Amino acid sequence: MNLMEELNQQVREKTQGEVGLRFYPGGIQGDEAVVLRKIRTGQLHGGGFTGVGLGEIAPSLRVMELPFLFRDEGEIRAVHEKMDPVFEQQLRDKGFTLLVGRRSVSSISTARIP
């Protein structure tokens, strides 16, 4: 949540307080499928997703979760360096924008730009 609050503060500062972000932790808005449905219907503007939720948006992103695909963190970082622009474009093609990405195989946060 600290990273999300930092993002909120940056948005508020850059918009002179006209725009802010509200976060609902702990599944308050539902599981990933429900959050995606709410985003698609305009009830929410973004969400934090694991590979499961991302796979609903752009299935090819799930390749990063394949077991035993990478030997070490260095290899993971190298693949992210090459593939993140491709993954981000796939998300954009579906109407989503990556706001915060953790360089791991399990989680990337996204938002849909209305």
Side-chain angles (χ1 to χ4, degrees):
M1 281 299 287
N2 289 339
L3 186 59
M4 291 182 229
E5 280 305 320
E6 287 176 31
L7 179 61
N8 179 41
Q9 287 301 328
Q10 290 174 7
V11 168
R12 288 180 186 279
E13 287 171 13
K14 290 182 180 186
T15 64
Q16 288 78 43
E18 290 187 30
V19 176
L21 304 174
R22 185 176 301 158
F23 299 99
Y24 301 96
I28 291 170
Q29 290 292 330
D31 64 14
E32 290 179 280
V34 171
V35 170
L36 273 172
R37 181 181 51 76
K38 288 180 178 182
I39 291 170
R40 288 179 172 134
T41 61
Q43 293 176 302
L44 292 174
H45 295 107
F49 299 103
T50 65
V52 173
L54 290 171
E56 292 295 316
I57 302 166
S60 64
L61 275 71
R62 303 255 3 230
V63 70
M64 296 302 290
E65 297 179 310
L66 288 173
F68 311 113
L69 183 62
F70 306 106
R71 287 184 285 255
D72 56 37
E73 286 289 324
E75 199 170 77
I76 293 170
R77 280 191 298 277
V79 171
H80 270 294
E81 218 172 274
K82 293 270 189 191
M83 293 304 299
D84 280 356
V86 174
F87 296 150
E88 289 173 19
Q89 184 60 52
Q90 290 174 350
L91 291 169
R92 278 192 299 275
D93 290 346
K94 299 290 182 143
F96 289 80
T97 301
L98 183 69
L99 294 180
V100 179
R102 284 182 25 208
R103 299 283 184 208
S104 76
V105 297
S106 63
S107 175
I108 299 176
S109 294
T110 61
R112 184 164 189 168
I113 305 301

